Amino acid sequence: MSGAVLMTLPSPEPAALTYGDQMTRDLNRAAQNSLTQGEAYGFGLTQKGYVIYAYRSELWDDVIEGAPGAGVAAQMTVEGRKAKLPEAPAPMIVFDPTGVNVPFSILLSSGKMRFEITADGSGKITGETRS
């Protein structure tokens, strides 16, 4: 007789890092898709998560959603000004098919971990840990 035990262990990475990595990938995908597909993509952020939108047939369609892990807080700056995060998700940033976008940054934190996502306005979006 044989048996197997499967255990799920918590992620060794802090929740802000995991969430930030996924958000950075999704933002880059949205920026690239806007260029290659010739349609606008949008990004909305609340404390409960983020949504990536595609602008199709004169409507914003949700295409990707992401939720933070426990204890992750978000702050957003758009063109150097702190943005108030809305209660309900809605497009706050638009990725234009021309590649010209507004610069913004998002600071995610959980405990002592800080992860910052930065968009320079030319389509380049990066994420890195901060101390």
Side-chain angles (χ1 to χ4, degrees):
M1 178 177 234
S2 65
V5 176
L6 178 64
M7 293 177 60
T8 303
L9 299 175
S11 172
E13 293 185 343
L17 178 59
T18 304
Y19 184 50
D21 281 341
Q22 184 61 48
M23 188 185 299
T24 303
R25 281 192 297 275
D26 290 342
L27 285 165
N28 275 306
R29 189 175 306 125
Q32 291 170 3
N33 284 349
S34 74
L35 290 171
T36 60
Q37 296 175 8
E39 59 187 33
Y41 275 72
F43 170 74
L45 178 66
T46 69
Q47 289 297 340
K48 295 179 183 176
Y50 67 91
V51 179
I52 303 289
Y53 301 91
Y55 192 71
R56 300 178 180 137
S57 302
E58 299 183 23
L59 296 172
W60 287 108
D61 292 332
D62 302 8
V63 292
I64 299 172
E65 294 184 21
V72 176
Q75 295 178 341
M76 186 169 182
T77 304
V78 179
E79 294 185 299
R81 296 183 189 158
K82 186 175 178 181
K84 182 178 181 199
L85 300 182
E87 292 292 320
M92 299 170 70
I93 300 294
V94 175
F95 297 104
D96 191 270
T98 64
V100 178
N101 307 295
V102 297
F104 67 93
S105 66
I106 300 165
L107 180 64
L108 303 172
S109 58
S110 61
K112 293 182 181 182
M113 168 58 73
R114 305 274 185 269
F115 188 89
E116 185 172 23
I117 300 168
T118 306
D120 65 4
S122 67
K124 183 179 179 184
I125 301 168
T126 58
E128 61 184 276
T129 57
R130 299 279 184 206
S131 41

